[in-house]
Amino acid sequence: MKVGIIGGTKGLGKTLAILLKKEGYDVTITGRDTSVGLTVSEKLGVSYSNDNKKTANVNDIVIVSVPIATTSAVIKEIANSMKKGSLLLDVTSVKEGPSNLMNELLDDDVEFIPTHPVFGPRTTNLNGQVIVLTPIKKGKWYPKVIDFLKKHKMRIIEASPSEHDKMMSIVQILTHFSYISTASAIKKLGISIKDTRKFASPIYGLMVDMISRIVSQNPILTYSIQLENENGENVRETFTESVLELKDVLTNQDEEKFVKIAIEATKNLDDIQAALGRSDKAIESLNHEISSLKNAVGKEIALKHIYSEEVHIGILTDLDPEFVTLNTKKGEKNLKIANIKILDEENLKEWKLINKEIKTQSISCVFPNSCNEAIIAQAISKLDEITDVKITDIYHGPQVANDKISITFEIDAFDVSAFENVETFLKGFGGIIR
Amino acid sequence: MKVGIIGGTKGLGKTLAILLKKEGYDVTITGRDTSVGLTVSEKLGVSYSNDNKKTANVNDIVIVSVPIATTSAVIKEIANSMKKGSLLLDVTSVKEGPSNLMNELLDDDVEFIPTHPVFGPRTTNLNGQVIVLTPIKKGKWYPKVIDFLKKHKMRIIEASPSEHDKMMSIVQILTHFSYISTASAIKKLGISIKDTRKFASPIYGLMVDMISRIVSQNPILTYSIQLENENGENVRETFTESVLELKDVLTNQDEEKFVKIAIEATKNLDDIQAALGRSDKAIESLNHEISSLKNAVGKEIALKHIYSEEVHIGILTDLDPEFVTLNTKKGEKNLKIANIKILDEENLKEWKLINKEIKTQSISCVFPNSCNEAIIAQAISKLDEITDVKITDIYHGPQVANDKISITFEIDAFDVSAFENVETFLKGFGGIIR
């Protein structure tokens, strides 16, 4: 299956190229800059073309992954070049414009599925991520795409293009606009956000983190989303009205009106108790992590970088509000607390199973005839660093006393020191190591 | 030590009354409504007075805990009644007004400490909570108050009243104002928040939760905070300017200016990487909980209500986006996911130790002489439901074979079924139960 990704040299297009290549698709990416295109395509092991029309013409599936502002132009450019029976997808954050354009320009024998994958370019795992599909009509490709998304455990939302854009006018337009206004006001007021954090509850800290997330996004993308969504102007206008109204209410010291606005706004929000519960739990998990780190000072701990997924194991020697210092086998490491998480025993074991060499040793031990080898094997498997225990031999015979048997266990462990522990353990129950 | 709490019949004043009574203080609360005052004081086991002046006159410490709008009036009412050598505290969210007023009206032989405990009335544990103190001068009481707060592991911030109010103009004025404006705009736009959640990432969900937290606060308190902070008008004015500016920039399609505003606002925020990391981790912990619940369907699980702290143990029979159904010994329970957390093994054991009756049984078992009773005891202690193991007797003698010893373990467990498991375990190693 041949897939062409228009704009596959960066961002989401590139992420899709990596993913589809891994799935066995024959992938071609396009991009305006030939030298960038050749470098990226070589690195990903995919083909490169600087000709969008030709790419549209030779592929079974074409995905348009270009900035919002140029999406319409690209659709217009390639619409007539798409081959019969092929599929065109876009991945733009607005859906009315692209959906209508594809519907208008494409031949009946070319299928199109407008999509909006609702996640940022930092996402590496599709599992649980939301994708909105706004099909105007469905053909033979539609169930195949659904199967693909389900296989990756994505949350699929189907909606009309206008419904999508209406929802995004809150999800994106309003939140981006109000958060950037807030951050811009803080800047104008000349107050240091870092200082304010000291004076406030952890909830405020997380609130500022959320504002930082939005405000620090690619401003050109944010700008395009504001402009391309047809509801944008109305949403900004309505928000401005609300701001001016609330400001006047306070200037006029109209307590009654203020209370009325707040209560009506609250009623329109969904389940407040659930919102309090979820945000309390989110804060609690961050606080819990800090206490766990405090308790781990002087002890061995395993920390995983949340983006690189690299695991660092060592003695936690120091902790300040921003960093932990870890004394690892490779030397001292300073790690930013915000970017690491503590691996619990289960996760650490999983990581070790993938990353550490497993050592194997056989241990034979003599026990009374009445023993139960399965119970012993299970007890061994619960000792530290042990990954697997098999019973490979049970011996009755001249080499052991009449009322005894010798059991041989094949034991897998992360470290050879574990085998000594096993012997001590078995001897502790009166077993005799052979 | 006698403490009077002006406005101690509800909110933070009531919380303080409970806390100080527990610490052994002789507490009197006041409140305008005598019948409420008598009911509450009887319930808390403290005294009640409806006379603020008299209360000020007879107590060593007086705490003013009334709505912001009446704080000044109360300070004026009681200032001349305070007895020599006593201490006056307030707990208001604004500090310039009350601090200056106390400084002006109180005699030199009455000490005052303006405070702002930065947490909501739902907080039951002071550990780690922030309190801001804005002393204008410090007397003999100051170190005592610090000791008290440190004993409760609070995070103490000392600042001037004006610095406090400046910080709160962001922490409270700006965030409350922009979030209420946002919620009010959503209401005007007539869009259902519940629907928008379906179309969005979990980060958006948490963002809406934060907005819900703020908007659903007591609107009369929110109103007072807006009005009483001297920076309020200026902050609201600056925010409105930012909103109008950004709106115009978008109406004029001035991409360059938009990008400039966003970049400058971003630069003024602190560590963006840390903000992304923390918020990613907060989301991950909520997602992780949902997956754990999904994996637990059909299995036994322990869930703790995050506010009542009640623990429910049972088979998880059903799960929808909002609720879990648990089949417990007391029947079927529907619990709201947002308000419960999963108890891990360690926490469950802690809870059981406090809440479940411990059963004790002695088990004697014969092992070869060469065994090590400490190793066996330790292995027993790691079996399910076991809480403690002691070695109470080691017997060499006529009743056991020459090369054997009998060891008696006194075992504590949550359930008698555990004792059978212990016997099976010991027999598995060839031990002979006596």
Side-chain angles (χ1 to χ4, degrees):
Chain A
M1 185 87 72
K2 287 164 72 68
V3 180
I5 303 174
I6 314 291
T9 59
K10 55 185 173 182
L12 181 60
K14 189 176 163 189
T15 305
L16 290 173
I18 295 168
L19 185 77
L20 293 168
K21 157 85 183 163
K22 210 193 278 174
E23 301 253 328
Y25 290 83
D26 178 356
V27 177
T28 300
I29 60 175
T30 80
R32 275 174 301 183
D33 186 320
T34 305
S35 95
V36 169
L38 289 171
T39 312
V40 173
S41 64
E42 195 178 336
K43 204 176 148 199
L44 305 187
V46 301
S47 308
Y48 168 73
S49 164
N50 62 3
D51 186 336
N52 289 344
K53 282 188 182 170
K54 201 182 139 200
T55 303
N57 193 241
V58 298
N59 282 287
D60 306 301
I61 301 173
V62 177
I63 302 173
V64 177
S65 180
V66 297
I68 301 186
T70 41
T71 298
S72 294
V74 168
I75 292 172
K76 284 177 192 159
E77 180 191 358
I78 63 172
N80 289 326
S81 308
M82 293 289 295
K83 74 173 184 184
K84 270 192 184 179
S86 68
L87 170 67
L88 180 62
L89 297 139
D90 81 312
V91 293
T92 316
S93 306
V94 293
K95 292 271 66 67
E96 278 202 84
S99 304
N100 293 336
L101 197 63
M102 288 189 283
N103 192 32
E104 183 190 321
L105 298 182
L106 288 170
D107 278 349
D108 280 348
D109 50 18
V110 176
E111 193 170 332
F112 66 97
I113 307 178
T115 81
H116 177 196
V118 189
F119 49 85
R122 301 196 348 269
T123 299
T124 50
N125 185 351
L126 298 182
N127 189 340
Q129 300 289 350
V130 173
I131 185 165
V132 185
L133 306 181
T134 63
I136 293 180
K137 48 196 179 191
K138 296 178 187 176
K140 62 168 184 170
W141 283 101
Y142 197 75
K144 289 181 191 168
V145 169
I146 294 284
D147 282 349
F148 179 88
L149 302 174
K150 279 192 178 159
K151 197 180 113 196
H152 287 92
K153 296 193 176 157
M154 296 191 73
R155 276 175 53 208
I156 305 162
I157 306 287
E158 206 182 290
S160 71
S162 70
E163 192 188 0
H164 167 276
D165 285 6
K166 195 172 132 195
M167 292 300 154
M168 289 303 141
S169 74
I170 302 295
V171 174
Q172 298 186 313
I173 306 294
L174 182 61
T175 59
H176 295 181
F177 186 77
S178 86
Y179 280 15
I180 296 173
S181 300
T182 304
S184 161
I186 296 172
K187 154 101 178 102
K188 283 184 189 170
L189 289 162
I191 293 177
S192 145
I193 275 292
K194 197 166 183 174
D195 287 347
T196 65
R197 285 184 192 264
K198 281 186 236 146
F199 282 75
S201 63
I203 281 287
Y204 170 79
L206 192 52
M207 213 151 75
V208 170
D209 289 343
M210 294 295 193
I211 294 174
S212 300
R213 265 192 105 87
I214 299 299
V215 178
S216 66
Q217 284 173 356
N218 175 353
I220 294 168
L221 176 62
T222 308
Y223 174 81
S224 300
I225 292 175
Q226 290 287 329
L227 283 198
E228 300 283 334
N229 189 314
E230 286 179 20
N231 311 290
E233 188 79 33
N234 180 40
V235 167
R236 293 189 295 272
E237 188 58 56
T238 306
F239 178 66
T240 307
E241 271 169 33
S242 291
V243 169
L244 291 170
E245 179 185 46
L246 202 64
K247 180 169 161 285
D248 285 349
V249 163
L250 285 160
T251 303
N252 301 333
Q253 308 205 358
D254 187 345
E255 180 172 351
E256 203 179 315
K257 184 92 186 277
F258 181 91
V259 169
K260 189 166 169 261
I261 291 172
I263 289 176
E264 280 182 0
T266 305
K267 273 190 201 152
N268 183 60
L269 296 168
D270 56 346
D271 196 336
I272 300 289
Q273 283 310 313
L276 294 171
R278 273 188 302 263
S279 44
D280 276 342
K281 285 199 282 187
I283 285 297
E284 213 247 34
S285 82
L286 296 175
N287 289 348
H288 179 74
E289 187 182 66
I290 297 292
S291 351
S292 301
L293 288 173
K294 280 184 185 160
N295 291 334
V297 172
K299 296 180 194 153
E300 192 181 58
I301 192 167
L303 302 174
K304 183 179 184 174
H305 196 281
I306 59 172
Y307 303 123
S308 75
E309 306 218 319
E310 198 180 341
V311 171
H312 304 272
I313 300 178
I315 307 289
L316 204 167
T317 53
D318 199 16
L319 179 70
D320 70 25
E322 285 182 57
F323 288 92
V324 282
T325 310
L326 215 59
N327 202 340
T328 74
K329 279 187 186 165
K330 292 179 196 160
E332 202 160 82
K333 291 251 173 211
N334 280 301
L335 300 164
K336 190 165 218 170
I337 294 171
N339 291 340
I340 50 103
K341 66 176 187 182
I342 303 169
L343 281 186
D344 62 18
E345 252 176 77
E346 202 178 319
N347 288 325
L348 180 58
K349 190 163 180 180
E350 253 172 50
W351 178 83
K352 282 181 171 176
L353 277 173
I354 296 165
N355 293 281
K356 287 193 85 167
E357 197 195 334
I358 305 280
K359 321 280 190 207
T360 302
Q361 189 167 312
S362 283
I363 295 178
S364 297
C365 187
V366 175
F367 275 105
N369 262 335
S370 66
C371 75
N372 178 325
E373 63 278 4
I375 288 178
I376 301 173
Q378 200 192 12
I380 296 172
S381 72
K382 287 186 179 162
L383 297 176
D384 285 349
E385 304 285 303
I386 303 292
T387 63
D388 196 24
V389 180
K390 284 191 208 75
I391 299 158
T392 52
D393 191 38
I394 296 182
Y395 174 79
H396 292 264
Q399 289 182 43
V400 295
N402 221 354
D403 55 350
K404 306 248 160 110
I405 54 169
S406 169
I407 311 164
T408 304
F409 302 97
E410 188 185 286
I411 301 166
D412 292 347
F414 292 126
D415 196 280
V416 288
S417 68
F419 303 129
E420 259 179 66
N421 290 340
V422 171
E423 293 193 358
T424 308
F425 179 76
L426 296 176
K427 284 192 271 185
F429 284 85
I432 296 155
I433 306 293
R434 289 176 74 203
Chain B
M1 185 87 70
K2 287 164 71 70
V3 180
I5 303 174
I6 314 289
T9 59
K10 54 186 172 183
L12 182 60
K14 188 175 163 189
T15 306
L16 290 172
I18 295 167
L19 185 76
L20 293 168
K21 157 86 182 162
K22 212 193 276 173
E23 301 255 327
Y25 290 83
D26 178 358
V27 176
T28 301
I29 60 174
T30 80
R32 275 173 302 185
D33 186 322
T34 304
S35 94
V36 170
L38 290 171
T39 313
V40 173
S41 63
E42 195 178 337
K43 206 177 147 199
L44 305 188
V46 301
S47 308
Y48 167 73
S49 164
N50 63 3
D51 187 336
N52 290 345
K53 283 188 184 173
K54 201 183 139 199
T55 302
N57 193 240
V58 299
N59 282 286
D60 307 301
I61 301 173
V62 178
I63 302 172
V64 177
S65 179
V66 296
I68 301 186
T70 43
T71 297
S72 295
V74 168
I75 292 173
K76 284 177 193 161
E77 180 190 358
I78 64 171
N80 289 325
S81 308
M82 293 289 294
K83 73 173 182 185
K84 272 192 183 179
S86 68
L87 170 68
L88 181 61
L89 297 139
D90 82 311
V91 293
T92 316
S93 308
V94 293
K95 292 271 66 66
E96 279 202 82
S99 304
N100 293 337
L101 197 62
M102 289 189 282
N103 192 31
E104 183 190 322
L105 297 181
L106 289 170
D107 279 347
D108 280 348
D109 51 17
V110 175
E111 192 171 332
F112 66 96
I113 307 178
T115 81
H116 177 196
V118 189
F119 49 84
R122 297 190 346 235
T123 300
T124 52
N125 186 351
L126 298 182
N127 189 338
Q129 299 289 349
V130 173
I131 185 164
V132 185
L133 306 182
T134 63
I136 292 181
K137 45 196 180 192
K138 296 177 188 175
K140 61 169 185 171
W141 284 101
Y142 198 75
K144 290 181 189 167
V145 169
I146 295 283
D147 282 349
F148 179 89
L149 302 174
K150 279 192 179 158
K151 196 180 112 195
H152 287 91
K153 296 192 176 156
M154 296 192 73
R155 276 175 53 206
I156 304 161
I157 306 288
E158 205 182 290
S160 70
S162 70
E163 193 189 359
H164 167 276
D165 285 6
K166 195 173 133 194
M167 291 301 152
M168 288 303 141
S169 74
I170 302 296
V171 173
Q172 298 186 314
I173 307 294
L174 181 61
T175 59
H176 295 181
F177 187 77
S178 85
Y179 280 15
I180 296 173
S181 300
T182 304
S184 161
I186 296 171
K187 154 101 179 103
K188 283 186 188 166
L189 290 162
I191 293 176
S192 146
I193 276 291
K194 197 166 183 171
D195 287 348
T196 65
R197 285 183 192 266
K198 281 185 237 149
F199 282 74
S201 63
I203 281 286
Y204 170 79
L206 193 51
M207 211 150 76
V208 170
D209 289 343
M210 295 294 194
I211 294 174
S212 299
R213 264 193 107 86
I214 299 298
V215 178
S216 67
Q217 284 174 354
N218 176 352
I220 294 169
L221 176 62
T222 308
Y223 173 80
S224 301
I225 292 175
Q226 290 287 328
L227 283 198
E228 300 284 333
N229 189 313
E230 285 178 20
N231 311 291
E233 189 80 33
N234 179 39
V235 167
R236 293 188 295 273
E237 189 57 56
T238 307
F239 177 66
T240 308
E241 270 169 33
S242 291
V243 169
L244 291 170
E245 179 185 46
L246 201 64
K247 181 169 160 285
D248 285 350
V249 163
L250 286 160
T251 304
N252 301 334
Q253 309 206 359
D254 187 344
E255 181 171 352
E256 204 180 312
K257 183 90 186 280
F258 181 90
V259 170
K260 189 165 169 262
I261 292 172
I263 287 176
E264 281 183 359
T266 305
K267 274 191 200 151
N268 182 60
L269 296 168
D270 57 343
D271 195 337
I272 301 288
Q273 284 310 313
L276 294 171
R278 273 188 302 262
S279 45
D280 275 343
K281 284 199 283 188
I283 285 298
E284 213 246 36
S285 83
L286 297 175
N287 288 350
H288 178 75
E289 186 182 67
I290 298 292
S291 346
S292 301
L293 288 173
K294 280 185 185 159
N295 291 335
V297 173
K299 296 180 194 153
E300 193 180 58
I301 192 166
L303 302 174
K304 183 178 185 174
H305 196 280
I306 59 171
Y307 303 123
S308 74
E309 308 220 316
E310 198 179 342
V311 171
H312 304 273
I313 299 177
I315 306 289
L316 203 168
T317 53
D318 199 16
L319 178 71
D320 70 25
E322 285 182 58
F323 287 92
V324 282
T325 310
L326 214 59
N327 203 339
T328 74
K329 278 185 185 163
K330 293 178 197 161
E332 202 161 82
K333 290 251 172 210
N334 281 300
L335 300 165
K336 190 166 218 168
I337 294 172
N339 291 341
I340 50 104
K341 65 176 187 182
I342 303 170
L343 282 187
D344 62 18
E345 251 175 78
E346 203 179 315
N347 289 326
L348 179 58
K349 191 163 181 183
E350 253 172 50
W351 178 83
K352 282 182 172 176
L353 277 173
I354 296 166
N355 293 281
K356 286 192 86 165
E357 197 195 333
I358 305 280
K359 322 279 191 208
T360 302
Q361 190 167 312
S362 283
I363 296 177
S364 297
C365 189
V366 174
F367 275 106
N369 263 335
S370 64
C371 76
N372 178 326
E373 62 279 3
I375 288 178
I376 301 173
Q378 201 194 11
I380 296 172
S381 71
K382 287 185 180 163
L383 297 175
D384 285 349
E385 304 284 303
I386 304 291
T387 63
D388 196 25
V389 180
K390 285 192 208 71
I391 299 159
T392 51
D393 190 37
I394 297 181
Y395 174 78
H396 293 263
Q399 289 183 44
V400 295
N402 222 354
D403 56 349
K404 304 249 161 110
I405 54 169
S406 169
I407 310 164
T408 304
F409 303 96
E410 188 185 286
I411 301 166
D412 291 347
F414 292 126
D415 197 282
V416 289
S417 68
F419 303 128
E420 259 179 67
N421 291 340
V422 172
E423 294 193 357
T424 309
F425 179 75
L426 296 176
K427 285 192 270 185
F429 284 85
I432 298 154
I433 306 293
R434 287 177 75 204

